[in-house]
Structures are given as structure tokens and as C-alpha cells.
Amino acid sequence: MPMTITLSKEDRVKKMVRSIMQDYTNATSIACIFVDIQGKERSSKYNFTKFCHFMRSIPEFRSKCYQCDLCGGLETFKNRSCCPYRCHAGLVDFSIPVVCENQLHGFIVSGQMISDDMRIPNLQAQTPWQTDSQAFKYFRAVPQYRYEEIMSASRVLNTLTACYFPYAQTSEALSYETPTIGGKTSDDGELSHITRPEIRKTVMYIKEHLSCNLSLRTIADEVFLSESYLSKLFKQEMNMNLMQYINQCRVREGEKILASSHESVDAISRRLGYHRTSYFCKIFKQYTGETPHAYRKKYAL
């Protein structure tokens, strides 16, 4: 009679996580690693950059890497929102929790990218590694990604994870909202009132791309509708046209940033996709009745 070997739950989790990361890195070539709930490495280093290999070879930097992996994972798990963040070395990462049978086993941390997108917050104080010539050489070889590409990668990893751990996570388990300086926002109330899936997808796309040059054509291409049909459906569902909604979303985001940061109005304007600050100020006053400067003075914490 053949002998049967039964794996422990921890070994089964590690085996499934290994399969997830192999598929993910083969498909995307983006680095990832599995860490436990203390941030300690529990897997091989998949597609690690030379820069991150170097940083983790130095005990002082390695401990900060562990802290970033842990904090990033816990933030995602706590807020149920997958948002990219900058680690102590300035690279962009994101984290997907691994939950099996109602037990949190750790996090798959992916990234090791460069992005200058201002929506990505710093997780910890930056480490002064730039004086090390070897580190600087490796850093210059780190791949650059756009914000949209980073968010797409995080969705791919979350979907793969959901396939192996279906009862703990689904592809909709983590929200993907544009990060704000003032904290996470919730769009659940608004989305719950939208009956058409095409318009729901349109709204989510707009909220995730507020800094981009949003147009009827680009959005229609994204949701696979003609421009005229999308315009008609959107007006019926939302009681306003597409551009009015885009401006409304940008103004709401502007209100949060003005009230919770010292970022200049010029920088906020660019961050929200406006090429001219004067036009942002005009739209802001049109929707709020106040200029951005007056709003900040009145509501800033």
C-alpha cells in the first residue's frame, strides 16, 4: 500500500504561495517575496532587483526592509484597500494579504519599481543610501512604471491570490482607490446606487485616473462602448455629463488635499490633471463657492 504524505497547513500555504509568485513573476517579471506577520522573509526572492539584494545585504537597511514589508501588509489588511507605497529606499511596493481558514499567514509583497507619481505616499522616513556609489549604480537600473501599470500589477497579483485562497479573498475583496494625503476614501455608497455595470466601471476608472488627461474617447475605449452611447448612458445614470462628473471628483479630491496638507495649489492642480492652475481655481470655485486658498484657510486642520 503506497504511503500518503499529508502536508501541514503552513506547508500547504507556502506551496500555494510559491505557485502564485511563480505564475505572477513569469507573467509580469515584477519582483515579489512572501513575508510572515512579522515582516520576515518566508520564501525565495523572486526577480529581485540588484538594488534590493544589495540593500538587504546590509543589516541596518535589511531591518528597515522588514519594517516596510510588515507595515505595508498590515495597512492593506486593516483598510482592505490595496494602495502602492514608497519604502524606506524610495522604491514603490504593494502588498497582498494571504488569509487561509480565517488565519492571516503573511503578505506577498511586490514592486521594487521607480515612479514619480505624487499619489504614492512614503511609508517611512527615507534612508540616506545615496552616498553609497554601489547602491546608486544599482538604483539606476531599477525599472520605472506608470501609476496605472502599478495598479494593474496589484490587481493581477490579488486575482491570482484569490484563485488559491477563494474563501478568504475574492477579486473584489480589496478596493483600489486613488490614495489621498488625508487618508482613504470610500466610494461604496456611490457605487451601490449605480445599476449599469458599464457606468460602474466608468466611475471606477475615472476615480483611479484623476491625474490623467481624461476624455470621452479614452474612457469609451476603456469600457468598450462608443462615445455617443457612453455619453447617453452616463447622463441617464448619473444625472450629469461625463466632464461635469470628472470635475466634481477632482474638486472633491482637491478639498481633501487642501484640508490635510500644505501642498501648493499649483501642485494640487497638476496632481488632479489640470494643465492650468487658473482653470482649476475657476472650476473649484464653481463647485464650492470658494477659491482653493479661501477653502484651505477655512477648513485646514
Side-chain angles (χ1 to χ4, degrees):
M1 184 174 180
M3 181 171 54
T4 301
I5 300 175
T6 303
L7 296 175
S8 67
K9 184 168 77 170
E10 183 178 349
D11 288 335
R12 282 189 286 115
V13 168
K14 286 182 179 179
K15 183 178 180 181
M16 288 190 287
V17 167
R18 186 166 59 248
S19 295
I20 292 168
M21 294 193 295
Q22 286 173 344
D23 287 341
Y24 173 74
T25 54
N26 286 339
T28 67
S29 299
I30 299 174
C32 67
I33 192 170
F34 179 55
V35 302
D36 63 19
I37 57 175
Q38 267 123 37
K40 299 295 179 64
E41 300 172 1
R42 288 293 178 264
S43 76
S44 302
K45 299 178 178 70
Y46 286 78
N47 281 16
F48 260 43
T49 63
K50 288 185 177 180
F51 177 78
C52 289
H53 273 298
F54 176 80
M55 294 296 282
R56 290 180 184 243
S57 70
I58 301 172
E60 178 189 357
F61 294 158
R62 182 167 61 244
S63 64
K64 292 187 177 183
C65 293
Y66 291 164
Q67 290 174 17
C68 287
D69 290 345
L70 175 59
C71 292
L74 289 176
E75 280 297 303
T76 300
F77 183 71
K78 180 178 69 176
N79 296 320
R80 301 201 67 76
S81 175
C82 185
C83 294
Y85 57 85
R86 296 186 199 281
C87 72
H88 71 98
L91 298 187
V92 177
D93 291 328
F94 53 84
S95 181
I96 303 296
V98 173
V99 180
C100 181
E101 298 176 9
N102 294 320
Q103 179 182 349
L104 176 64
H105 287 263
F107 312 96
I108 301 176
V109 182
S110 178
Q112 300 181 16
M113 314 162 173
I114 293 176
S115 174
D116 58 3
D117 196 290
M118 292 186 294
R119 287 170 290 183
I120 304 175
N122 290 319
L123 194 63
Q124 292 190 6
Q126 297 297 287
T127 298
W129 54 264
Q130 291 84 350
T131 55
D132 190 301
S133 59
Q134 191 68 27
F136 190 75
K137 174 186 174 183
Y138 290 148
F139 184 83
R140 293 180 63 182
V142 173
Q144 290 191 330
Y145 284 78
R146 293 182 295 109
Y147 181 81
E148 292 74 23
E149 293 172 328
I150 295 170
M151 294 305 292
S152 293
S154 68
R155 290 190 187 93
V156 169
L157 182 54
N158 184 43
T159 301
L160 275 173
T161 306
C163 291
Y164 283 84
F165 301 97
Y167 298 105
Q169 296 161 255
T170 69
S171 59
E172 299 176 348
L174 299 180
S175 65
Y176 290 84
E177 298 168 359
T178 301
T180 64
I181 290 179
K184 189 174 77 71
T185 61
S186 176
D187 299 319
D188 291 347
E190 181 181 39
L191 290 175
S192 65
H193 290 88
I194 299 175
T195 58
R196 298 176 186 271
E198 306 98 319
I199 304 306
R200 180 186 290 264
K201 185 176 180 180
T202 298
V203 166
M204 292 176 68
Y205 180 82
I206 289 170
K207 288 181 180 296
E208 292 173 3
H209 296 80
L210 289 179
S211 68
C212 301
N213 183 22
L214 292 170
S215 68
L216 177 59
R217 172 177 287 184
T218 58
I219 298 172
D221 288 344
E222 184 67 26
V223 297
F224 306 107
L225 295 176
S226 70
E227 295 175 42
S228 59
Y229 188 53
L230 172 61
S231 183
K232 178 183 177 181
L233 278 187
F234 195 89
K235 186 79 177 286
Q236 289 176 350
E237 185 80 39
M238 306 299 289
N239 294 317
M240 66 180 81
N241 66 42
L242 200 65
M243 189 50 64
Q244 287 173 328
Y245 183 75
I246 292 170
N247 282 328
Q248 176 181 286
C249 289
R250 284 171 168 167
V251 168
R252 285 178 179 172
E253 191 68 20
E255 288 176 322
K256 296 171 191 172
I257 300 170
L258 286 164
S260 60
S261 79
H262 298 291
E263 195 169 343
S264 71
V265 174
D266 284 343
I268 295 172
S269 172
R270 293 192 300 273
R271 176 173 170 175
L272 294 175
Y274 292 103
H275 299 297
R276 290 186 293 116
T277 304
S278 59
Y279 185 65
F280 167 63
C281 293
K282 176 183 176 181
I283 295 296
F284 191 91
K285 187 171 183 179
Q286 180 181 325
Y287 278 79
T288 66
E290 299 176 296
T291 65
H293 292 288
Y295 184 92
R296 168 170 274 163
K297 186 175 181 181
K298 185 175 180 180
Y299 294 103
L301 298 178

